[in-house]
């Protein structure tokens, strides 16, 4: 097995000392759980940076439109080759490049060999080798007994069968599609450019959403309510979700609309501008100061809901005052649960959840209130404390398992499940699996 290469080490930040390996296919880094590498740095963007390898050129890094940029040796990074001893700054974290060598390719076996490398000639060479072995055995009495001859004949039959499959495979792939293939939906690339502007003498509200190459970005400016979402935070979206959206938009009637609808009002500026490209078909519709057609409204609402759900911006439906009140309440609850973390097993986990909730409410609020920084710091402290508690209980559980003290092991594993009650948390899942096995031993012991 090839030795794993350590490419980066965290020199500064909440994940201090963590060693990171970049797989051959590259990796995204950020604070979102949807990244390949998740760092617990609240100052980092959801999707902050990407590492990847270029053939013959080693390791590269690319900023993913982060809010406070990625710095390479204290200089802003867009996309660049990185070398050993370089340092990248993301949020409050500093990562040192330990190695810029590409990850070793997976070991290829016979079943990984591309079909193009298998030929009838190569197969016949295998047949020839078996025949030569049979011939040589006939000149050496006693070398092979009957079972050996049978095995060799079976091998010969397998090789011949393989040759037939290789020769006929191209013909099989050219068979006409059956009913299921003919009716399967087409996979077409979807691109969206959508802008909404609502302006009058009191306020200017602008919403812009872009979906291109399965990457989503949204920018929001709300002057009156002091809300701003920067548009350089780009989120990769799963291909199946994009295709599901494309299938929906294909049937909204958008492509049957006129290119422009315009009203006569002059004291407001109410603009809806939507361009959708689906495969090779592109349609742009602009609506200014007039009611939108029903097909356009259905399309627009579908796109807005998709964007808000993917970027986590559904809180925009609430007023800033309401969001501030909810955030303050969640932050106070988080502090109270943290102070009582030794009273109930799940209080620390509940504190973390409340503090995350407070951050989410405030995500679109600028400037941030005075309690925001304290809530972020307390969440970080709480998560590190919970991780230390988890490690301690896991150590005691595994020691008890080695000593076959099943009762003590069960106690420690139940404590992990109680203190990390979220069943989607890998730590809870792992402890639950171990507990099931330990309880089997306890049951066997009692009988």
């Amino acid at each position: 097995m090839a030795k794993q290469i350590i490419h980066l080490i965290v020199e500064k930040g909440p994940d201090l000392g963590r060693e990171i390996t970049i797989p051959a296919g590259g990796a995204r880094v950020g604070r979102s759980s949807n990244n390949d590498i998740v760092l617990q740095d609240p100052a980092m963007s959801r999707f902050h940076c990407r590492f990847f390898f270029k053939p013959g050129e080693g390791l590269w890094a690319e900023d993913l439109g982060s809010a406070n940029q990625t710095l390479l040796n204290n200089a802003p990074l867009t996309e660049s080759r990185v070398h050993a001893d370089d340092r990248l700054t993301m949020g409050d974290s500093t990562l040192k490049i330990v190695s810029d060598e590409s990850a070793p390719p997976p070991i290829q076996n016979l079943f990984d060999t591309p079909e193009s490398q298998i030929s009838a000639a190569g197969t016949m060479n295998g047949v020839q080798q078996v025949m030569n072995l049979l011939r040589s055995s006939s000149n050496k009495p006693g070398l092979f007994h009957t079972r050996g001859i049978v095995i060799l004949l079976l091998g010969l039959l397998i090789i011949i069968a393989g040759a037939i499959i290789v020769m006929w495979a191209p013909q099989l792939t050219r068979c006409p599609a059956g009913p299921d293939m003919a009716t399967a939906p087409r996979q077409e690339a979807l691109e969206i450019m959508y802008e909404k502007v609502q302006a009058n003498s009191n306020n200017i509200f602008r919403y812009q959403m872009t979906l291109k190459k399965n990457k989503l970005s949204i920018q929001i400016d709300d002057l009156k309510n002091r809300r701003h979402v920067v548009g350089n935070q780009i989120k990769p979206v799963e291909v199946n979700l994009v295709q599901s959206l494309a299938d929906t938009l294909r049937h909204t009637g958008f492509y049957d609309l006129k290119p422009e609808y315009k009203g006569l009002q002059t004291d407001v500026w109410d603009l809806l501008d939507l361009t959708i490209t689906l495969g090779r078909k592109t349609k742009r519709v602009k609506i200014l100061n007039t009611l939108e057609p029903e097909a356009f409204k259905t399309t627009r609402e579908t796109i807005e809901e998709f964007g808000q759900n993917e970027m986590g911006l559904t809180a925009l439906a609430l007023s800033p005052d309401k969001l501030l009140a909810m955030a303050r309440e969640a932050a106070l609850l988080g502090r109270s649960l943290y102070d009582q973390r030794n009273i109930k097993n799940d209080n620390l986990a509940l504190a973390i959840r409340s503090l995350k909730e407070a951050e989410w409410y405030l995500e679109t609020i600028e400037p941030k209130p005075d309690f925001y920084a304290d809530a972020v710091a307390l969440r970080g402290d709480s998560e590190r404390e919970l991780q230390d508690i988890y490690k301690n209980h896991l150590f005691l559980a595994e020691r008890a398992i080695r000593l076959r003290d099943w009762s003590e092991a069960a106690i420690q594993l139940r404590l992990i499940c109680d203190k990390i009650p979220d069943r989607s948390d890998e730590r809870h899942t792992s402890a639950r699996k171990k507990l099931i096995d330990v309880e089997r031993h306890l049951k066997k012991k009692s009988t």
Side-chain angles (χ1 to χ4, degrees):
M1 182 180 292
K3 184 178 179 181
Q4 190 178 53
I5 297 175
I6 304 300
H7 293 103
L8 305 108
I9 186 168
V10 181
E11 285 192 333
K12 178 186 174 184
D15 293 274
L16 179 66
R18 179 176 172 183
E19 296 178 337
I20 297 171
T21 296
I22 305 299
R28 293 195 312 265
V29 180
R31 60 182 172 85
S32 169
S33 59
N34 291 324
N35 285 287
D36 306 298
I37 298 168
V38 180
L39 296 181
Q40 306 298 326
D41 185 345
M44 190 175 290
S45 293
R46 289 192 192 91
F47 298 90
H48 201 107
C49 182
R50 179 173 76 98
F51 291 95
F52 59 98
F53 296 98
K54 286 189 178 182
E57 297 185 36
L59 184 61
W60 283 65
E62 177 189 12
D63 183 75
L64 294 177
S66 58
N68 52 5
Q69 295 188 308
T70 300
L71 302 181
L72 173 59
N73 299 326
N74 295 321
L77 167 75
T78 302
E79 179 178 310
S80 176
R81 170 83 157 91
V82 294
H83 303 84
D85 295 327
D86 282 345
R87 284 170 172 81
L88 293 107
T89 302
M90 306 178 206
D92 293 332
S93 299
T94 300
L95 283 69
K96 177 184 176 182
I97 305 296
V98 178
S99 172
D100 57 1
E101 296 180 11
S102 60
I107 297 174
Q108 191 176 42
N109 59 37
L110 176 62
F111 298 100
D112 295 328
T113 303
E115 184 177 319
S116 60
Q117 296 180 11
I118 303 175
S119 66
T123 307
M124 291 309 295
N125 286 337
V127 175
Q128 189 63 47
Q129 291 175 10
V130 175
M131 293 300 295
N132 290 339
L133 186 58
L134 285 170
R135 291 193 189 99
S136 64
S137 67
S138 64
N139 296 325
K140 298 179 181 179
L143 181 62
F144 291 94
H145 49 69
T146 304
R147 184 163 31 164
I149 296 297
V150 171
I151 292 173
L152 286 171
L153 288 173
L154 287 173
L156 177 60
L157 290 173
I158 292 171
I159 291 172
I160 293 172
I164 293 171
I165 292 172
V166 169
M167 287 186 290
W168 280 94
Q171 301 297 326
L172 293 174
T173 58
R174 287 197 290 267
C175 288
D180 292 340
M181 294 178 65
T183 58
R186 294 178 297 167
Q187 300 289 305
E188 295 180 312
L190 173 66
E191 292 187 3
I192 296 172
M193 292 185 65
Y194 169 51
E195 183 179 33
K196 175 165 65 175
V197 179
Q198 296 171 329
N200 54 39
S201 58
N202 297 320
N203 188 32
I204 297 177
F205 176 86
R206 179 174 179 267
Y207 178 100
Q208 186 177 41
M209 171 180 156
T210 302
L211 177 65
K212 188 174 183 179
K213 296 182 179 178
N214 299 333
K215 293 182 179 179
L216 177 69
S217 68
I218 292 178
Q219 179 172 332
I220 299 173
D221 298 288
D222 187 352
L223 298 185
K224 182 179 179 180
N225 295 314
R226 295 175 299 148
R227 288 195 284 190
H228 179 65
V229 177
V230 295
N232 60 358
Q233 293 194 22
I234 300 173
K235 178 184 178 183
V237 183
E238 294 180 12
V239 175
N240 62 328
L241 293 177
V242 175
Q243 287 301 319
S244 177
L245 176 62
D247 292 339
T248 300
L249 298 180
R250 193 178 283 114
H251 304 292
T252 59
F254 177 78
Y255 282 93
D256 298 326
L257 295 170
K258 295 188 297 184
E260 187 175 64
Y261 298 82
K262 191 173 181 179
L264 300 176
Q265 287 180 287
T266 58
D267 57 338
V268 297
W269 184 266
D270 195 346
L271 171 69
L272 296 169
D273 188 351
L274 176 58
T275 302
I276 299 177
T277 299
L278 191 52
R280 298 182 179 180
K281 192 174 183 181
T282 298
K283 177 82 173 184
R284 181 181 184 182
V285 179
K286 292 176 65 176
I287 298 175
L288 179 63
N289 296 343
T290 189
L291 293 175
E292 55 190 318
E294 192 63 31
F296 187 95
K297 181 181 179 182
T298 301
T299 305
R300 173 184 61 79
E301 290 177 345
T302 300
I303 289 172
E304 286 184 358
E305 183 176 2
F306 174 85
Q308 290 176 9
N309 288 339
E310 288 303 305
M311 298 294 284
L313 298 174
T314 49
L316 285 171
L318 302 174
S319 70
D321 290 341
K322 179 65 173 177
L323 289 173
L324 280 169
M326 294 171 69
R328 189 182 299 277
E329 183 180 348
L332 289 173
L333 177 60
R335 166 57 71 177
S336 176
L337 288 166
Y338 178 80
D339 292 339
Q340 301 176 59
R341 60 192 182 279
N342 295 323
I343 297 177
K344 285 185 64 180
N345 285 334
D346 61 349
N347 272 359
L348 187 56
L350 294 176
I352 293 171
R353 187 174 69 179
S354 292
L355 293 166
K356 284 183 177 180
E357 188 177 333
E359 289 181 51
W360 183 73
Y361 288 140
L362 297 172
E363 189 162 13
T364 63
I365 302 296
E366 295 294 345
K368 296 288 190 284
D370 53 1
F371 62 87
Y372 175 76
D374 291 338
V376 171
L378 182 59
R379 179 178 66 82
D381 292 341
S382 301
E383 288 178 338
R384 285 188 286 274
E385 185 174 334
L386 185 60
Q387 179 64 10
D388 289 341
I389 291 171
Y390 164 73
K391 288 180 178 178
N392 181 57
H393 285 306
L394 183 62
F395 170 79
L396 294 175
E398 290 183 342
R399 185 183 67 178
I401 290 172
R402 287 195 299 270
L403 296 174
R404 306 185 72 78
D405 186 350
W406 306 115
S407 297
E408 176 63 19
I411 290 172
Q412 298 300 329
L413 292 170
R414 289 189 186 110
L415 283 171
I416 291 176
C417 294
D418 289 344
K419 293 183 179 182
I420 308 177
D422 183 2
R423 291 180 177 271
S424 65
D425 192 305
E426 185 179 348
R427 296 170 295 184
H428 179 103
T429 304
S430 176
R432 177 64 61 185
K433 290 178 180 178
K434 290 178 182 290
L435 180 59
I436 291 173
D437 186 61
V438 167
E439 286 177 339
R440 287 197 193 100
H441 286 279
L442 281 172
K443 186 177 181 180
K444 182 178 180 181
K445 184 179 178 180
S446 63
T447 56

